[in-house]
């Protein structure tokens, strides 16, 4: 394994990174991490999707060069990527919410499908790009509700517009890799392409609607019980820094080793941390204290959501040396620390950089063992 599962600070120092979706929850955390590593980051995104948002409360704008534009505007995207002289591209701009995809299927497909096409076309037009990581989701697999975790070569699919649009994004990645960035022609084009599929991310600074942890924290702050719709649904919960560390290691590998790593990769928690909604909420109530409680309610919209989903990450562990660092309990602790700091108007920039540093030191220590 050697130093495989390490984020190489030297590699990222001065590296020109083009990050789409940098104003979102995951994008904001990744922007801060890349800044801490010394990268030169250009972010390309719409305005922050929520108010409040991680992007604003952590002044992420101070740490990256922001281009506010739509991934569905190909001309603007090409200009921005060429201006940034991008070397590494991480694509996270998306319509990321399942329930929203039922309300707005056209917007979901145009962003998640054509947005991916525009991204690859921009990379083709920009001569400096060497590595592309397209971030999709664990929901890109055709969910059979079976008991074992999904592997990277399982069938893609999607019941709802969101899941299906992300499976499409995976197919587009594969088609562009075969047609324009084919490994056999690597010496000519010099671009390595991979996709990354992560589970349900949780962490401080998430204010998205219809997401379990933000909904719970909001209820606690308003001193009312949190309502849960699917108490027994099992999800691969993980702290947001877990998959982000995977994307960074994967981008390094693509850049340094070319097409060897140009394929799909799962980044999910250890199997013991795939827990039910009720387990998570009970833990949150316990950590929060102060009379925090939950109630189980009927799902008024009756939308289809998978009950059971786990990822098999053995490939990422074996070939990238990527290993989850924080247990679900630790992740919940970090979220409560962050939320309390926000409630008490503490310095969230310092706290967020601190959590990133703590995470990375844990990684470094694990890699040395």
């Amino acid at each position: 394994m050697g130093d495989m599962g390490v984020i190489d600070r030297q590699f990222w120092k001065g590296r020109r990174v083009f990050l789409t979706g940098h104003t979102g929850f995951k994008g904001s955390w990744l922007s801060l991490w890349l800044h801490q590593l010394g990268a030169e980051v250009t972010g390309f995104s719409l305005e922050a999707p929520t108010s409040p948002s991680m992007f604003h409360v952590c002044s992420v704008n101070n740490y990256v060069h922001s281009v506010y534009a739509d991934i569905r505007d190909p001309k603007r995207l090409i200009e921005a990527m060429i201006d940034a002289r991008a070397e590494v591209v991480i694509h996270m701009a998306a319509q990321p919410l399942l329930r929203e995809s039922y309300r707005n299927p056209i917007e979901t497909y145009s962003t998640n499908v054509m947005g991916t096409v525009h991204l690859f076309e921009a990379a083709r037009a920009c001569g400096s790009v060497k590595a592309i990581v397209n971030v999709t989701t664990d929901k890109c697999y055709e969910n059979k509700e079976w008991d074992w975790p999904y592997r990277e070569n399982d069938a893609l699919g999607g019941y709802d517009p969101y899941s299906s649009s992300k499976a499409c994004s995976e197919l587009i990645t594969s088609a562009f890799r075969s047609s324009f960035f084919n490994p056999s022609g690597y010496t000519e084009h010099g671009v390595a392409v991979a996709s990354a599929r992560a589970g349900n991310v949780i962490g401080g600074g998430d204010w998205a609607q219809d997401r379990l942890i933000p909904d719970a924290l909001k209820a606690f702050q308003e001193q009312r019980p949190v309502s849960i719709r699917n108490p027994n649904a099992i999800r691969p919960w993980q702290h947001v820094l877990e998959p982000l560390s995977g994307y960074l290691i994967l981008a390094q590998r693509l850049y340094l080793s070319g097409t060897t790593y140009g394929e799909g990769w799962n980044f999910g928690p250890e199997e013991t941390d795939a827990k039910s909604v009720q387990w998570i909420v009970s833990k949150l109530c316990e950590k929060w204290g102060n009379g925090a409680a939950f109630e189980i309610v009927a799902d008024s919209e009756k939308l289809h959501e998978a009950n059971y989903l786990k990822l098999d990450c053995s490939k990422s562990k074996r070939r990238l040396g990527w290993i989850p660092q924080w247990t679900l309990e630790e992740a919940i602790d970090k979220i409560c620390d962050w939320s309390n700091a926000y409630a008490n108007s503490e310095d969230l920039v310092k706290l967020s950089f601190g959590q990133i540093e703590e995470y990375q030191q844990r990684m470094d220590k694990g890699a040395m063992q």
Side-chain angles (χ1 to χ4, degrees), residues 129-356:
V129 174
K130 284 194 68 173
I132 305 172
V133 176
N134 178 23
V135 175
T136 63
T137 173
D138 58 358
K139 297 180 189 57
C140 67
Y141 294 109
E142 185 188 330
N143 193 322
K144 299 187 166 69
E145 299 280 356
W146 56 28
D147 290 342
W148 49 90
Y150 292 87
R151 291 182 176 173
E152 286 86 349
N153 54 358
D154 278 322
L156 298 170
Y159 181 105
D160 56 273
Y162 168 70
S163 307
S164 144
S165 73
K166 286 299 210 173
C168 292
S169 180
E170 284 281 352
L171 292 171
I172 291 160
T173 306
S174 178
F176 268 80
R177 185 167 42 227
S178 301
S179 307
F180 305 110
F181 306 121
N182 196 294
S184 65
Y186 183 70
T187 45
E188 287 89 73
H189 59 72
V191 183
V193 178
S195 59
R197 305 154 184 180
N200 286 39
V201 295
I202 56 178
D206 186 5
W207 278 279
Q209 251 190 323
D210 292 331
R211 275 228 275 259
L212 180 65
I213 306 255
D215 289 353
L217 294 171
K218 192 170 178 231
F220 298 165
Q221 271 147 4
E222 293 169 5
Q223 296 187 315
R224 58 181 170 80
V226 59
S227 304
I228 56 175
R229 294 183 298 259
N230 300 311
N232 303 319
I234 304 264
R235 297 278 184 276
W237 313 97
Q238 59 188 155
H239 192 277
V240 61
L241 297 180
E242 305 278 16
L244 297 185
S245 71
Y247 309 161
L248 291 170
I249 293 170
L250 179 55
Q252 280 171 205
R253 288 269 168 274
L254 292 169
Y255 192 96
L256 299 170
S257 308
T259 57
T260 316
Y261 296 91
E263 50 198 79
W265 300 86
N266 284 342
F267 298 106
E270 298 293 4
E271 206 165 326
T272 48
D273 276 339
K275 302 279 195 199
S276 71
V277 167
Q278 186 162 338
W279 187 94
I280 291 264
V281 174
S282 305
K283 268 288 170 244
L284 271 173
C285 291
E286 186 186 308
K287 303 252 185 222
W288 193 268
N290 218 7
F294 67 91
E295 58 185 8
I296 296 166
V297 297
D299 185 352
S300 56
E301 292 181 79
K302 282 281 178 281
L303 299 180
H304 172 88
E305 281 192 51
N307 278 314
Y308 198 78
L309 185 61
K310 280 184 185 179
L311 290 179
D312 181 332
C313 302
S314 33
K315 185 173 90 165
S316 296
K317 290 177 179 175
R318 191 181 72 252
R319 288 183 48 204
L320 298 173
W322 173 84
I323 293 165
Q325 302 297 326
W326 284 344
T327 64
L328 196 48
E329 290 248 5
E330 287 176 298
I332 291 172
D333 283 337
K334 297 286 181 268
I335 294 168
C336 291
D337 291 347
W338 204 99
S339 303
N340 285 322
Y342 174 74
N344 300 324
S345 308
E346 289 167 32
D347 184 343
L348 292 166
V349 177
K350 191 175 159 197
L351 180 78
S352 302
F353 277 131
Q355 289 192 350
I356 291 167

Side-chain angles (χ1 to χ4, degrees), residues 102-124:
Y102 280 104
R103 292 189 277 267
N104 280 309
I106 292 175
E107 188 184 327
T108 300
Y109 281 105
S110 59
T111 302
N112 296 355
V113 178
M114 287 313 296
T116 305
V117 174
H118 296 327
L119 180 96
F120 283 122
E121 282 294 89
R124 287 179 68 206

Side-chain angles (χ1 to χ4, degrees), residues 18-38:
F18 192 85
L19 174 62
T20 71
H22 73 297
T23 61
F25 162 60
K26 281 172 84 175
S28 295
W29 274 102
L30 189 54
S31 296
L32 293 180
W33 200 340
L34 284 163
H35 172 79
Q36 190 147 310
L37 290 166

